[in-house]
Amino acid sequence: MLVQLLYASRAAADTTPATVSVILQQARLRNPPEGITGVLCHGDRYFLQLLEGGREQVNRLFSRIQRDSRHTDVVLLHYAEITERRYAAWTMGQTNLDRLNPATLLRYSALPVFDPFQLPGSSSMALVDELIASASVLGRA
Amino acid sequence: MLVQLLYASRAAADTTPATVSVILQQARLRNPPEGITGVLCHGDRYFLQLLEGGREQVNRLFSRIQRDSRHTDVVLLHYAEITERRYAAWTMGQTNLDRLNPATLLRYSALPVFDPFQLPGSSSMALVDELIASASVLGRA
Amino acid sequence: MLVQLLYASRAAADTTPATVSVILQQARLRNPPEGITGVLCHGDRYFLQLLEGGREQVNRLFSRIQRDSRHTDVVLLHYAEITERRYAAWTMGQTNLDRLNPATLLRYSALPVFDPFQLPGSSSMALVDELIASASVLGRA
Amino acid sequence: MLVQLLYASRAAADTTPATVSVILQQARLRNPPEGITGVLCHGDRYFLQLLEGGREQVNRLFSRIQRDSRHTDVVLLHYAEITERRYAAWTMGQTNLDRLNPATLLRYSALPVFDPFQLPGSSSMALVDELIASASVLGRA
Amino acid sequence: MLVQLLYASRAAADTTPATVSVILQQARLRNPPEGITGVLCHGDRYFLQLLEGGREQVNRLFSRIQRDSRHTDVVLLHYAEITERRYAAWTMGQTNLDRLNPATLLRYSALPVFDPFQLPGSSSMALVDELIASASVLGRA
Amino acid sequence: MLVQLLYASRAAADTTPATVSVILQQARLRNPPEGITGVLCHGDRYFLQLLEGGREQVNRLFSRIQRDSRHTDVVLLHYAEITERRYAAWTMGQTNLDRLNPATLLRYSALPVFDPFQLPGSSSMALVDELIASASVLGRA
Amino acid sequence: MLVQLLYASRAAADTTPATVSVILQQARLRNPPEGITGVLCHGDRYFLQLLEGGREQVNRLFSRIQRDSRHTDVVLLHYAEITERRYAAWTMGQTNLDRLNPATLLRYSALPVFDPFQLPGSSSMALVDELIASASVLGRA
Amino acid sequence: MLVQLLYASRAAADTTPATVSVILQQARLRNPPEGITGVLCHGDRYFLQLLEGGREQVNRLFSRIQRDSRHTDVVLLHYAEITERRYAAWTMGQTNLDRLNPATLLRYSALPVFDPFQLPGSSSMALVDELIASASVLGRA
Amino acid sequence: MLVQLLYASRAAADTTPATVSVILQQARLRNPPEGITGVLCHGDRYFLQLLEGGREQVNRLFSRIQRDSRHTDVVLLHYAEITERRYAAWTMGQTNLDRLNPATLLRYSALPVFDPFQLPGSSSMALVDELIASASVLGRA
Amino acid sequence: MLVQLLYASRAAADTTPATVSVILQQARLRNPPEGITGVLCHGDRYFLQLLEGGREQVNRLFSRIQRDSRHTDVVLLHYAEITERRYAAWTMGQTNLDRLNPATLLRYSALPVFDPFQLPGSSSMALVDELIASASVLGRA
Ligand SMILES: Cc1cc2nc3c(=O)[nH]c(=O)nc-3n(C[C@H](O)[C@H](O)[C@H](O)COP(=O)(O)O)c2cc1C
Ligand SMILES: Cc1cc2nc3c(=O)[nH]c(=O)nc-3n(C[C@H](O)[C@H](O)[C@H](O)COP(=O)(O)O)c2cc1C
Ligand SMILES: Cc1cc2nc3c(=O)[nH]c(=O)nc-3n(C[C@H](O)[C@H](O)[C@H](O)COP(=O)(O)O)c2cc1C
Ligand SMILES: Cc1cc2nc3c(=O)[nH]c(=O)nc-3n(C[C@H](O)[C@H](O)[C@H](O)COP(=O)(O)O)c2cc1C
Ligand SMILES: Cc1cc2nc3c(=O)[nH]c(=O)nc-3n(C[C@H](O)[C@H](O)[C@H](O)COP(=O)(O)O)c2cc1C
Ligand SMILES: Cc1cc2nc3c(=O)[nH]c(=O)nc-3n(C[C@H](O)[C@H](O)[C@H](O)COP(=O)(O)O)c2cc1C
Ligand SMILES: Cc1cc2nc3c(=O)[nH]c(=O)nc-3n(C[C@H](O)[C@H](O)[C@H](O)COP(=O)(O)O)c2cc1C
Ligand SMILES: Cc1cc2nc3c(=O)[nH]c(=O)nc-3n(C[C@H](O)[C@H](O)[C@H](O)COP(=O)(O)O)c2cc1C
Ligand SMILES: Cc1cc2nc3c(=O)[nH]c(=O)nc-3n(C[C@H](O)[C@H](O)[C@H](O)COP(=O)(O)O)c2cc1C
Ligand SMILES: Cc1cc2nc3c(=O)[nH]c(=O)nc-3n(C[C@H](O)[C@H](O)[C@H](O)COP(=O)(O)O)c2cc1C
């Protein structure tokens, strides 16, 4: 059983670009043997991560991620059992949420600042899809 | 919550191109921090304006606009909660209703003069869409 | 309220190409101020005319046309309230029914002669659409 | 080919209940051999009549009706080729438009007075359907 | 053209049951000649009102209501051109928002207190529909 | 924003009916002020819980539940943003998974023992729906 | 492969009720071993027969019927491969076309006389269905 | 009324290419004045013919064809009233069933030999469509 | 993963009612622990069996059944992965194919004898459904 | 009647590339006269084979294949009666399951190893379709 999970969280106060690098390294090391793929969108204030993989594997990872003190207020935005992954080729893509094109952001958001806690899950999902489609995500396997 | 609002109104007797310039200046100054985007169609006799943005922001602006003495008989033509803006890239586009191609106008209208008070809201909306699609609107951000 | 009306009629015995020219002149003179557009298909034996415009205007014109002694047996083939005209750019296009491509005719008709009184209205409508699509109609505004 | 035709008209100034009686007598005498069925809604100011029958027969009758000086401004509201009549059992039903239940009228109309010239054809059609469904029409064959 | 409009607002600080009585009296006096029907839901803190009627009439009334100092922060929740009213028989029904069944409220709301500013317009609309269907509204004409 | 969340977990080794009673007490005390409703299905080996409520509230509770040592291997089965709750009237219903009717169980399961880790989320969801529809759940508010 | 076939024909000049009896006897004798079922509608001027059965069997019978001098001008009205018979219980039902209720007839026909050569096949099919549904057909096995 | 008819038959024992030539000559001579169009697929063992035209004309021709001793076991495969011909431009196209591409044949058939008596009518129809689409048919008018 | 499998076979020459009893005994003994449910239709000449259960379990049983010398020519009629069983309450229902109501049989079959080798799988499936719906199957658990 | 059948099996311990060659030779020799087409996917541990053809022929072959000792645990993944083959041009295509692109595999699978026993039949079917579409299959006729 394959699932797709999208969540948002608030970056801890002391999160720096270096923190993000470490997380991405961990993800690219640990996800392949678990068959987990996805995209990590990060910024000064928020994380937004899409995970795809086996139901058991994704839940185990999500459980670890929820306890990680590098972020807080983890909130689920989307979760579904799927028959096909959409992002099978991304070990863990990445993109910077603070460099979004303003029109892209306004398409889904009332104000020109990104805040996943104010948006319906489907809008954050659409944003991730648009970022990938527009080649704003790095790190395709 | 994002909304889309279209209204028409009658220009006050003393409205001139200069009046329109002032309105557009006000809009381009005040809309961006409020996350409001849209298009203002203006002519000798009517205004037709499409506003997109947060529900609260658009309602507050619409309330101000209704009291503005530069026009009267403000009538709502369309209002909907949306999940995506269609015109996120227009701070406040503009187009002149008095220079419409006659065939464009006849497509939606019984007579070859534009009168939004005689048309269903969906026709005015379709007209705005067609104007933008055909590059008749100026001022893309 | 916009409507679309298609009718057929039998040409009076003494109808000649000159008659048709006069009718087209009348139409091109009187329709524009009334916002009426359309196509007149004519032949030795039949007229087939599509009219688009305001409900009131089209009905008034249709009433005049029904009393015109240059044809008889006026029969409605199609009538509908529409939200958009399909032929807004045709003041009154024209085409000759006696020069139809036989395969075009057979597509809708049992026998290789055009007789709108034998066809469902939707077939005559489809024929008009095909004639316009295939550039067999003259007189685009 | 069966068709369904709905039109409205303005009653001539001197139309009285007696006029309506005469029209209904004519209809009930002349429609059966022509296979025409329908409903006549009448009031002090308007007629609204639904006709069903063969395309040729209905068009011939409509042509006579349009020339009848007991009413003016005949305007088509609906016309369609059908595969089944809806009112096959009504030689010519009748109902008085001036005795409509106000809530029935308001369902389709902005103001509590009936004026078919202000309504889309589909609303007048829905009104006729509702009148028949609610047994407000007399004269079932 | 018929429209349907739903808005919410915050009751002014000094609004009492007597205020609501006065508003209802005004509505029941002034709406019938304008062909306006609807339902007013009121409580200690909010108004929620559904208006149905002609586009021009409803817009004129809504304009008056927006300037009324007995409430503030008027926000549109739903607006649509309709072909049939749903509440044609209600001159101006009324219901008390502070006496809602908690399960009814929780069906649409995260917390067991009614706050239309937190809900999508479609939820407030569904709530009004449910109140009418469950006979919680008084004042059917 | 309302959400619906269904998860399954393995009961800790020392879970007894008394443990379940304590959990239900906690839920019935703490959920109402948070506007959370749902159903807890429990058995010797598994928990299956459906939660409905505000997105923030449900995520905060789910976070607490995941860390609760009275169960392990918490796995999400279903999560969706909804516009209406289905179980608004259940503060926290309960039902015993070990007393399921065998035919009910076989409808969704290959073997006649309940194991949510072997079933697609939609089957567990359907099972919960069926249990509620068949009045097998206790504790309606 | 099961098929359904409907045809109409003109009764030969000398066809009498006795002729019909003989045909029905033949049908009831010969159809059962061939697995053919259906309905024979007969009148002074026309036959209308619905046959259901195996493709080969129905075609063989139809071939015999076409050559039968008791009728002429056999014309197919409907033919389809089906996965289920609709009239499996009728060895060969019968009904008299000259005793149709006039409103039933007018539902499908322009004039109050039955003439299958003037009707689309779907109307004749609908008529047969209506006759069976209204218990106007005799001879259910 | 236009119809489309597809049948298959077994070629008589003594049918030769010359027989087919004669049939095609007859068809190309007699079909045009009757407004009949179509395609004749022929082989050593079978005929498969698609006829399009007026309902009366096609039935009269099919009746003659059924009695023709150059083939036997005529079986209907498809018959429908249509609003548009698909093959209006083919007086009577022709193609040789014995030269079918094997993969084309296997697409519809269990065994690599063509036998219309073993196939559902829709498969034979699809085969004719594919032959025309792939330009395997000769004789376009 | 649940599946549904329907097959038909020819009973071996020496199959008697006693044979069927033995098979049913075996099925009712061995299926419950495997979670297999279904219906066995049997007659003098054919078996038709519907099996529902886990994909692995059903395939293992089907493999045993195929090798069973009490029947031959086992042919699959239907196989699908399902999310819900339709016949969860039947350990192994039974019905006699030789006592089918003739009209039931003719509904799906060209001739009044049951032969699953001549029918599409969907017809045999529909027949089984109809037998269960009409209470012609014995042995509900 | 055409069918499509997909199954998976475990290769016997001593299966080598030579074994696969022999099987393919057998298939390419024996399938054409039986009208069977398809694709054989093979690897070190599994076979996955798609067969298309007549219902009788495919069942007879599947029965032989099930008894073949070169593999075990044959499990059906998909079976359907079809009106058109999708792979009519492949006598027996082949592809190596051990050389799948990892992203292709992850699209359908939780872990980056192919195991048809863990996947729903529709995923294996989608994989076969993707392999053919991406030209990863050899041996088109
Ligand atoms: C925003 C965020 C995203 C993360 N994504 C992943 C991931 O995709 N894969 C992963 O293994 N760890 C990820 N981690 C790190 C895990 O939380 C955890 O630290 C890591 O898996 C090591 O776990 P362990 O120390 O318990 O073995 C992420 C952490 C954060 C804060
Ligand atoms: C037709 C029309 C369109 C307008 N559009 C906008 C607009 O998009 N944004 C805006 O801030 N003001 C717009 N205005 C001006 C407002 O009515 C108002 O004058 C302006 O927002 C300044 O408001 P204030 O003086 O109350 O701050 C518009 C006015 C008119 C007549
Ligand atoms: C086939 C036919 C088509 C016609 N089309 C039009 C038309 O499109 N517009 C128009 O004004 N008159 C049209 N006419 C002419 C009208 O019948 C009428 O003669 C004309 O409008 C002048 O009307 P009046 O003399 O009553 O002013 C048409 C006449 C015929 C016979
Ligand atoms: C509103 C209205 C409805 C009418 N309905 C019918 C009708 O249904 N059938 C009919 O034969 N005449 C109807 N008539 C009368 C015809 O207009 C016409 O007077 C009548 O058919 C006699 O026509 P004739 O004198 O030309 O023979 C109606 C007239 C009016 C004003
Ligand atoms: C919540 C609310 C609802 C109202 N509803 C109506 C209404 O339905 N009809 C109406 O005429 N006035 C309504 N009013 C009152 C109008 O705002 C206004 O006071 C009234 O129409 C008299 O307007 P006038 O004094 O300008 O003539 C409502 C006021 C409030 C605060
Ligand atoms: C299976 C299960 C279901 C639970 N359901 C709820 C619940 O619905 N609401 C709730 O407040 N606590 C629930 N709890 C208990 C929480 O995990 C937690 O113990 C409780 O909310 C008290 O949290 P606190 O001690 O951190 O305040 C549940 C625990 C388990 C094991
Ligand atoms: C209108 C009509 C309907 C008929 N229906 C049937 C029928 O359902 N079954 C049948 O066997 N013969 C039917 N027949 C009679 C056949 O045409 C034919 O006479 C009969 O099957 C005996 O054929 P045979 O003499 O060639 O054996 C019908 C004839 C007519 C004119
Ligand atoms: C397979 C086949 C197809 C035929 N197609 C046609 C055709 O399309 N048009 C046609 O007139 N005759 C066709 N015929 C010939 C007719 O059966 C008949 O011989 C011909 O129309 C002359 O009829 P007549 O001699 O009765 O006038 C076909 C014959 C066969 C065997
Ligand atoms: C038509 C038919 C249906 C059968 N159905 C079942 C069944 O549902 N369950 C079952 O266990 N065996 C069934 N059997 C019997 C099996 O083929 C087999 O004999 C039985 O499972 C014992 O297998 P074993 O001797 O290999 O253990 C059926 C046999 C036949 C001929
Ligand atoms: C995975 C696999 C696929 C096979 N595919 C086919 C096939 O497509 N056609 C075929 O005739 N035999 C195929 N065979 C071989 C058959 O099982 C059988 O050995 C072969 O048909 C010869 O059968 P016979 O010796 O009983 O005549 C396959 C065998 C295996 C193990």
Side-chain angles (χ1 to χ4, degrees), chain D:
Chain D
M1 250 164 315
L2 289 173
V3 300
Q4 192 173 51
L5 184 159
L6 180 74
Y7 72 83
S9 60
R10 292 184 208 281
D14 53 357
T15 290
T16 64
T19 321
V20 173
S21 293
V22 172
I23 291 172
L24 282 164
Q25 264 178 329
Q26 286 180 303
R28 289 186 185 140
L29 204 73
R30 298 194 50 165
N31 293 357
E34 297 286 300
I36 287 175
T37 52
V39 177
L40 177 66
C41 311
H42 49 82
D44 271 4
R45 310 187 44 204
Y46 305 110
F47 288 108
L48 181 68
Q49 189 176 23
L50 177 72
L51 301 171
E52 293 188 332
R55 186 168 78 178
E56 206 181 317
Q57 288 82 2
V58 167
N59 271 281
R60 257 196 327 252
L61 170 58
F62 184 51
S63 189
R64 280 200 330 263
I65 288 176
Q66 270 180 306
R67 284 155 215 234
D68 195 311
S69 62
R70 289 170 289 188
H71 61 176
T72 59
D73 297 336
V74 174
V75 62
L76 270 167
L77 299 179
H78 172 81
Y79 181 78
E81 295 183 7
I82 55 180
T83 56
E84 261 183 53
R85 302 187 197 216
R86 284 163 78 186
Y87 301 116
W90 297 92
T91 301
M92 190 46 63
Q94 69 160 308
T95 193
N96 191 324
L97 288 170
D98 299 333
R99 299 205 199 114
L100 291 179
N101 172 326
T104 299
L105 188 45
L106 280 178
R107 181 161 17 265
Y108 306 106
S109 171
L111 295 180
V113 287
F114 178 67
D115 180 352
F117 292 85
Q118 298 303 320
L119 298 182
S122 55
S123 294
S124 293
M125 194 72 195
L127 182 67
V128 172
D129 286 347
E130 189 177 329
L131 291 176
I132 292 186
S134 65
S136 310
V137 176
L138 302 177
R140 202 166 200 274

Side-chain angles (χ1 to χ4, degrees), chain G residues 73-121:
Chain G
D73 297 336
V74 174
V75 62
L76 269 167
L77 299 180
H78 172 82
Y79 182 78
E81 296 183 6
I82 55 181
T83 55
E84 260 184 54
R85 301 187 199 218
R86 285 163 76 187
Y87 301 117
W90 298 91
T91 300
M92 190 46 64
Q94 68 160 309
T95 192
N96 191 324
L97 287 170
D98 299 334
R99 300 208 196 110
L100 291 179
N101 171 325
T104 300
L105 188 44
L106 280 178
R107 182 161 17 263
Y108 306 106
S109 170
L111 294 180
V113 288
F114 178 67
D115 180 352
F117 291 86
Q118 298 302 319
L119 298 183

Side-chain angles (χ1 to χ4, degrees), chain B residues 7 9 19 22-31 34 36-37 40-42 47-51 61-71 91-92:
Chain B
Y7 72 83
S9 60
T19 321
V22 172
I23 292 172
L24 282 164
Q25 264 178 328
Q26 286 179 301
R28 288 186 186 139
L29 204 74
R30 299 194 50 163
N31 293 356
E34 297 287 301
I36 287 175
T37 52
L40 178 67
C41 312
H42 48 83
F47 289 109
L48 181 69
Q49 188 176 23
L50 178 72
L51 301 171
L61 170 57
F62 184 51
S63 189
R64 283 204 324 268
I65 288 176
Q66 269 180 305
R67 283 156 215 233
D68 195 311
S69 62
R70 288 170 289 187
H71 62 174
T91 301
M92 190 47 62

